[in-house]
Each structure stands twice: as structure tokens, then as C-alpha cells.
């Protein structure tokens, strides 16, 4: 049995890299101030959820929503967030033009995965996902965060 429910979505900024949290929070705040009803849809993602999402459109019904399997996404390293428009409590939509909000995130030094994952922003400090995996396995995620924050 899995330790994590693949349907569980985490939105809490307290569980991500503090420097990333500050940047994503500021970007969302600036977008909202400009009139966009943007909110953080998902931050940290369990490996089980990542594999469940990866299966969508492949071995499970639905359209493909990610190209990354577990540990090949910055979500597992608490350095990525997906955003969406929140139209009312509990109601989310991705039916908007992501280019309209991208600059709020790019201005905070975040990277954008346009066009495929247009609502996904991450902070990698120029490291590859293979680097992230190796650093995390060798020294822990805190060390990875320190290396990225230092860049």
C-alpha cells in the first residue's frame, strides 16, 4: 500500500523551499493585484501522485498532463508550483491565456515550462533534474535548496 494518496493535492507553501515560496507567493500577489484570479493549485507532489499523473493519457484515461515521472519533476523537490484561476471557492479553471500571467512569475526569477505545462513554474538555479536527484540522494533536499538559492 502506498504511503501517499495519489489524489492528494498539496498547496501549502510551508512545505516548499522557503526562497521558492517567497517568489511564487510574490508572483501570485502581483498577478492578483493586476486583476487575475490566480491561485496556487499544487506545490509539493508525492512520487506516487507524479506517477499517477504521468499515467494519465498513457495507461489511464484522460489527456497527457505531464512528461515527467516520479523524481523527474521539480515538484518532488519542493521547487515547483502549478497555478490556475480560482473562480470561486473550490472551483478551478485552466481556461485562460497563461501568457497573460507569465511575466509576474518570470519577474521573480522563476522558470516557465511553456508551451506544454504552461501553468507550471519552477526554480532550478540552472541545475538539471539529474543534478537535483543526485544532490538530494547524497545530501538531502535542504542541501539542494541551499545550492539553488545561492545561484
Amino acid at each position: 500500500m502506498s504511503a501517499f494518496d495519489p489524489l492528494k493535492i498539496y498547496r501549502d507553501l510551508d512545505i516548499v523551499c522557503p526562497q521558492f515560496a517567497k517568489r511564487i507567493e510574490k508572483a501570485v500577489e502581483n498577478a492578483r493585484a493586476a486583476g487575475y484570479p490566480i491561485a496556487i493549485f499544487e506545490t509539493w507532489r508525492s512520487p506516487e501522485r507524479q506517477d499517477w499523473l504521468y499515467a494519465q493519457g498513457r495507461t489511464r484515461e484522460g489527456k497527457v498532463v505531464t512528461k515527467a515521472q516520479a523524481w523527474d519533476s521539480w515538484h518532488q523537490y519542493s521547487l515547483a508550483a502549478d497555478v490556475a484561476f480560482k473562480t470561486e471557492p473550490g472551483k478551478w479553471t485552466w481556461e485562460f491565456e497563461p501568457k497573460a500571467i507569465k511575466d509576474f512569475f518570470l519577474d521573480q526569477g522563476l522558470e516557465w515550462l511553456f508551451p506544454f505545462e504552461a501553468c507550471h513554474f519552477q526554480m532550478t538555479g540552472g541545475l538539471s533534474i539529474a543534478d537535483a536527484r543526485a544532490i538530494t540522494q547524497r545530501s538531502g533536499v535542504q542541501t539542494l535548496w541551499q545550492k539553488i538559492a545561492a545561484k
Side-chain angles (χ1 to χ4, degrees), residues 29-49:
E29 177 185 308
N30 291 343
R32 284 185 185 153
Y36 296 99
I38 198 85
I40 296 169
F41 180 76
E42 186 166 23
T43 57
W44 179 80
R45 185 180 292 157
S46 72
E48 292 86 354
R49 178 161 171 75

Side-chain angles (χ1 to χ4, degrees), residues 3 8 10-11 22 30-31 46 55 60 66-67 71-72 76 83 88 91 123 138-139 141 144 149:
K8 173 76 172 139
Y10 294 87
R11 296 186 175 102
K22 287 177 190 171
N30 291 343
S46 72
R60 197 167 53 76
T66 183
K67 294 180 180 179
W71 301 107
D72 289 337
Q76 279 81 73
V83 298
E88 58 186 79
K91 301 288 183 183
M123 187 171 90
R138 185 176 57 250
S139 306
V141 74
L144 173 65

Side-chain angles (χ1 to χ4, degrees), residues 21-89:
K22 287 177 190 171
R23 292 177 187 207
I24 200 83
E25 191 170 45
K26 184 67 173 169
V28 167
E29 177 185 308
N30 291 343
R32 284 185 185 153
Y36 296 99
I38 198 85
I40 296 169
F41 180 76
E42 186 166 23
T43 57
W44 179 80
R45 185 180 292 157
S46 72
E48 292 86 354
R49 178 161 171 75
Q50 189 68 43
D51 281 341
W52 183 81
L53 289 171
Y54 182 80
Q56 185 172 316
R58 293 177 176 88
T59 59
R60 197 167 53 76
E61 281 191 45
K63 74 174 203 167
V64 171
V65 294
T66 183
K67 294 180 180 179
Q69 292 180 288
W71 301 107
D72 289 337
S73 169
W74 290 94
H75 284 282
Q76 279 81 73
Y77 304 96
S78 299
L79 289 159
D82 295 334
V83 298
F85 278 14
K86 194 166 189 182
T87 56
E88 58 186 79

Side-chain angles (χ1 to χ4, degrees), residues 11-18 20-22 24-25 40 43 81:
R11 296 186 175 102
D12 192 350
L13 289 176
D14 292 339
I15 60 174
V16 300
C17 171
F20 175 72
K22 287 177 190 171
I24 200 83
E25 191 170 45
I40 296 169
T43 57

Side-chain angles (χ1 to χ4, degrees), residues 58-145:
R58 293 177 176 88
T59 59
R60 197 167 53 76
E61 281 191 45
K63 74 174 203 167
V64 171
V65 294
T66 183
K67 294 180 180 179
Q69 292 180 288
W71 301 107
D72 289 337
S73 169
W74 290 94
H75 284 282
Q76 279 81 73
Y77 304 96
S78 299
L79 289 159
D82 295 334
V83 298
F85 278 14
K86 194 166 189 182
T87 56
E88 58 186 79
K91 301 288 183 183
W92 297 88
T93 183
W94 289 263
E95 300 299 320
F96 64 95
E97 178 51 59
K99 288 181 183 178
I101 58 142
K102 72 169 173 63
D103 288 335
F104 297 107
F105 297 88
L106 297 178
D107 288 349
Q108 295 301 314
L110 300 174
E111 300 165 26
W112 187 35
L113 291 189
F114 186 81
F116 184 70
E117 292 188 44
C119 296
H120 173 102
F121 296 91
Q122 61 190 27
M123 187 171 90
T124 69
L127 296 177
S128 70
I129 201 75
D131 293 333
R133 188 178 312 110
I135 292 165
T136 301
Q137 288 174 344
R138 185 176 57 250
S139 306
V141 74
Q142 299 281 341
T143 300
L144 173 65
W145 293 355

